[in-house]
Amino acid sequence: MAIRRIMIYGKDDVLRKKAKPVAKIDERILELLDDMAETMRHADGVGLAAPQVGILRRVVVIDVGEGLIELINPEIVEASGQQRGAEGCLSIPGVRGEVIRPERVKVKALNRKGESIEITGTGLLARALCHEIDHLDGILFIDKVVPGTLVEG
Ligand code: ZN
């Protein structure tokens, strides 16, 4: 495992590009998953998407304190409710802002064995799922921030 460099908004254009689906879960994807988990933990984050380490593949890792979640080709298939809360991003250091997200989402994805999985998240997990899946389409939380709520810190 290795810690990879986290791409920074304003400097690394890759953050604005759309990631491609993973066609085959090979050794490189497994290594990417391992490195992303290590990089996320090292940076003290709760989620990381592959474009944030410069790889345009639809791969996400999340850990909101309930254990590591690895998602390949994730898709939000259901969303309900609404929550408003502060969000930050490892690729946009030094700022936070409020974003409105669904309170609950259901996500379909593949795990590292290539098996179909479904996970339902509420609260912080729902927020993290939405934030990371947005990264796969080049969307950043600052695009959705409630006007006037972006602050340093
Ligand atoms: Zn982010």
Short mmCIF file of all heavy atoms in Angstrom, two decimals, residues 47-49 52 87-92 131-132 135 139-141, ligand 1:
data_model
loop_
_atom_site.label_atom_id
_atom_site.label_comp_id
_atom_site.label_asym_id
_atom_site.label_seq_id
_atom_site.Cartn_x
_atom_site.Cartn_y
_atom_site.Cartn_z
N GLY A 47 -13.89 10.21 3.24
CA GLY A 47 -14.16 9.65 1.93
C GLY A 47 -13.14 10.13 0.92
O GLY A 47 -12.50 11.17 1.12
N LEU A 48 -12.99 9.33 -0.14
CA LEU A 48 -12.06 9.70 -1.20
C LEU A 48 -12.53 9.04 -2.50
O LEU A 48 -12.92 7.87 -2.50
CB LEU A 48 -10.64 9.23 -0.85
CG LEU A 48 -9.47 9.84 -1.63
CD1 LEU A 48 -9.29 11.32 -1.29
CD2 LEU A 48 -8.17 9.10 -1.32
N ALA A 49 -12.49 9.79 -3.58
CA ALA A 49 -12.86 9.27 -4.89
C ALA A 49 -11.60 9.21 -5.75
O ALA A 49 -10.70 10.04 -5.60
CB ALA A 49 -13.91 10.17 -5.54
N GLN A 52 -9.61 12.07 -7.17
CA GLN A 52 -8.85 12.86 -6.19
C GLN A 52 -7.40 12.38 -6.04
O GLN A 52 -6.58 13.08 -5.45
CB GLN A 52 -9.53 12.81 -4.81
CG GLN A 52 -10.85 13.57 -4.78
CD GLN A 52 -11.42 13.58 -3.39
OE1 GLN A 52 -12.09 12.63 -2.99
NE2 GLN A 52 -11.14 14.62 -2.63
N GLU A 87 -19.78 20.85 4.94
CA GLU A 87 -19.00 19.89 4.17
C GLU A 87 -17.66 20.50 3.82
O GLU A 87 -17.53 21.70 3.65
CB GLU A 87 -19.77 19.58 2.87
CG GLU A 87 -19.94 18.12 2.60
CD GLU A 87 -20.95 17.84 1.51
OE1 GLU A 87 -22.15 17.69 1.85
OE2 GLU A 87 -20.57 17.76 0.35
N GLY A 88 -16.67 19.63 3.73
CA GLY A 88 -15.36 20.05 3.26
C GLY A 88 -14.86 19.00 2.29
O GLY A 88 -15.55 18.02 2.03
N CYS A 89 -13.66 19.21 1.76
CA CYS A 89 -13.13 18.27 0.77
C CYS A 89 -11.61 18.27 0.85
O CYS A 89 -11.00 19.34 0.90
CB CYS A 89 -13.59 18.70 -0.62
SG CYS A 89 -13.00 17.63 -1.94
N LEU A 90 -11.02 17.09 0.82
CA LEU A 90 -9.56 16.98 0.89
C LEU A 90 -8.90 17.67 -0.31
O LEU A 90 -7.74 18.09 -0.22
CB LEU A 90 -9.13 15.51 0.94
CG LEU A 90 -9.51 14.74 2.21
CD1 LEU A 90 -9.14 13.27 2.06
CD2 LEU A 90 -8.86 15.34 3.45
N SER A 91 -9.64 17.83 -1.41
CA SER A 91 -9.08 18.47 -2.60
C SER A 91 -9.27 19.99 -2.59
O SER A 91 -8.78 20.67 -3.49
CB SER A 91 -9.73 17.89 -3.86
OG SER A 91 -9.33 16.53 -4.01
N ILE A 92 -10.02 20.48 -1.60
CA ILE A 92 -10.24 21.93 -1.49
C ILE A 92 -9.90 22.33 -0.05
O ILE A 92 -10.79 22.63 0.75
CB ILE A 92 -11.69 22.33 -1.86
CG1 ILE A 92 -12.14 21.61 -3.14
CG2 ILE A 92 -11.81 23.85 -2.02
CD1 ILE A 92 -13.60 21.79 -3.49
N HIS A 131 -21.34 13.07 -1.90
CA HIS A 131 -20.14 13.89 -2.15
C HIS A 131 -19.13 13.12 -3.01
O HIS A 131 -18.61 13.65 -4.00
CB HIS A 131 -19.52 14.30 -0.80
CG HIS A 131 -18.27 15.11 -0.90
ND1 HIS A 131 -18.17 16.39 -0.39
CD2 HIS A 131 -17.05 14.82 -1.40
CE1 HIS A 131 -16.94 16.85 -0.62
NE2 HIS A 131 -16.23 15.91 -1.22
N GLU A 132 -18.88 11.86 -2.65
CA GLU A 132 -17.86 11.09 -3.38
C GLU A 132 -18.34 10.69 -4.77
O GLU A 132 -17.57 10.71 -5.72
CB GLU A 132 -17.46 9.84 -2.57
CG GLU A 132 -16.86 10.11 -1.20
CD GLU A 132 -15.77 11.17 -1.17
OE1 GLU A 132 -15.06 11.35 -2.17
OE2 GLU A 132 -15.64 11.86 -0.13
N HIS A 135 -17.87 13.42 -7.18
CA HIS A 135 -16.49 13.53 -7.68
C HIS A 135 -16.28 12.74 -8.97
O HIS A 135 -15.47 13.13 -9.81
CB HIS A 135 -15.50 12.98 -6.64
CG HIS A 135 -15.01 14.00 -5.64
ND1 HIS A 135 -14.31 15.12 -6.02
CD2 HIS A 135 -15.09 14.04 -4.29
CE1 HIS A 135 -13.98 15.82 -4.92
NE2 HIS A 135 -14.45 15.19 -3.86
N ILE A 139 -17.95 16.82 -10.23
CA ILE A 139 -18.73 17.80 -9.46
C ILE A 139 -18.13 17.94 -8.07
O ILE A 139 -17.82 16.94 -7.41
CB ILE A 139 -20.21 17.35 -9.38
CG1 ILE A 139 -20.81 17.27 -10.78
CG2 ILE A 139 -21.02 18.29 -8.48
CD1 ILE A 139 -22.13 16.51 -10.84
N LEU A 140 -17.96 19.18 -7.63
CA LEU A 140 -17.35 19.45 -6.32
C LEU A 140 -18.38 20.10 -5.39
O LEU A 140 -19.34 20.71 -5.87
CB LEU A 140 -16.14 20.38 -6.48
CG LEU A 140 -15.05 19.84 -7.43
CD1 LEU A 140 -13.99 20.91 -7.68
CD2 LEU A 140 -14.42 18.57 -6.87
N PHE A 141 -18.17 19.98 -4.08
CA PHE A 141 -19.19 20.50 -3.15
C PHE A 141 -19.38 22.00 -3.29
O PHE A 141 -20.46 22.52 -3.03
CB PHE A 141 -18.87 20.08 -1.70
CG PHE A 141 -17.96 21.02 -0.95
CD1 PHE A 141 -18.49 22.05 -0.17
CD2 PHE A 141 -16.58 20.87 -1.00
CE1 PHE A 141 -17.66 22.92 0.53
CE2 PHE A 141 -15.75 21.74 -0.31
CZ PHE A 141 -16.28 22.77 0.45
ZN ZN B 1 -14.30 15.80 -1.93
#
